[in-house]
Amino acid sequence: MMKKYVCNICNYVYDPAVGDPVSGIPAGTAFEDLPADWGCPECGVGKEDFTAEN
């Protein structure tokens, strides 16, 4: 099972099972496989501002 990641700024949760349809990221895309320029759809910060959920 792929891990969910939480935005440290706004608490948006990236769930690989859902993807990010707003940004064109299909379901099943692991966080590690997101494009380098992907940003939080809620607040716009980059991947470096996300933490893996326990």
Side-chain angles (χ1 to χ4, degrees):
M1 187 170 145
M2 292 184 277
K3 284 188 173 188
K4 295 178 183 179
Y5 281 75
V6 182
C7 178
N8 298 328
I9 307 303
C10 73
N11 294 318
Y12 167 82
V13 177
Y14 176 77
D15 183 349
V18 176
D20 179 11
V22 173
S23 300
I25 305 296
T29 303
F31 185 82
E32 295 82 0
D33 295 332
L34 291 171
D37 63 351
W38 179 84
C40 177
E42 296 290 320
C43 70
V45 298
K47 290 171 64 175
E48 66 278 359
D49 288 313
F50 279 72
T51 304
E53 241 183 17
N54 293 330

